[in-house]
Amino acid sequence: MVNIVLVEPEIPANTGNIARTCAVTGSRLHLIRPLGFDISDKAVRRAGLTYWSLLDLHVYDGLSDFFSQNPDPDLWLATSKGPRSYTEGEYREGCWLFFGKETAGLPAALREKYDDRCVRIPMLPVPEARCLNLSNSVAVLTYEALRQQGFPGLSAAGEMKATPTNHA
């Protein structure tokens, strides 16, 4: 199990994509207010998020509320300012992957407190393309964490059966 934590997400489409990633991987989604959108039942139905009911969703009234309910989590912070690649993280069962809001990332105080747990996705140093889209970043780290855990509970094969190929 992986816990995905979005700190003050602003763009509903990103959170919708992340929710779908959580639904197909069995990851928990944690949203930390303020949110830049409405997640009421009516708003979710209007947006056509048919998989929303598959989520294990938790919402908090800020970081202090989160940490009071989840003391000492095995956390990793995804940030473009991170000192090491996300592949260097050790994502154990039940780990918590933190992602910041689209316009500002994670708060500096949080990054400083957990500087040994900050990781980044390697990218070209192009100022105009500051970082990956939030939902893409969540997918990359979630699947790395699940890979390290052996993809627990996930189906490794689709409808097509693997067949030996002859490329001679």
Side-chain angles (χ1 to χ4, degrees):
M1 161 82 57
V2 174
N3 292 283
I4 306 302
V5 181
L6 304 182
V7 179
E8 301 179 9
E10 300 168 313
I11 301 174
N14 283 337
T15 300
N17 289 337
I18 293 163
R20 183 175 290 258
T21 296
C22 290
V24 301
T25 61
S27 300
R28 286 188 187 118
L29 180 59
H30 303 263
L31 302 177
I32 298 181
R33 289 187 172 112
L35 308 179
F37 46 86
D38 182 6
I39 58 168
S40 67
D41 287 340
K42 182 178 179 181
V44 169
R45 276 194 311 276
R46 189 175 337 116
L49 302 178
T50 57
Y51 50 86
W52 197 260
S53 63
L54 302 174
L55 291 176
D56 185 353
L57 177 66
H58 304 263
V59 182
Y60 306 88
D61 288 327
L63 279 170
S64 59
D65 182 33
F66 170 85
F67 283 109
S68 71
Q69 293 186 47
N70 303 285
D72 198 31
D74 179 17
L75 57 77
W76 292 92
L77 283 63
T79 172
S80 61
K81 298 162 182 61
R84 69 188 61 79
S85 171
Y86 74 98
T87 59
E88 296 177 47
E90 295 178 19
Y91 310 106
R92 294 181 287 273
E93 167 69 24
C95 66
W96 300 76
L97 305 179
F98 277 68
F99 300 85
K101 62 179 155 183
E102 292 88 343
T103 59
L106 290 167
L110 186 66
R111 292 192 323 263
E112 290 165 9
K113 181 174 181 176
Y114 298 102
D115 64 339
D116 62 326
R117 291 301 189 106
C118 290
V119 295
R120 70 185 309 275
I121 298 171
M123 295 170 276
L124 290 173
V126 180
E128 299 82 19
R130 181 177 83 247
C131 59
L132 283 179
N133 173 278
L134 178 61
S135 62
N136 293 335
S137 298
V138 169
V140 168
L141 264 74
T142 299
Y143 272 92
E144 173 61 15
L146 292 168
R147 183 193 68 77
Q148 289 185 20
Q149 296 171 25
F151 296 110
L154 301 184
S155 175
E159 293 176 14
M160 297 172 59
K161 292 187 180 193
T163 57
T165 57
N166 184 0
H167 296 288

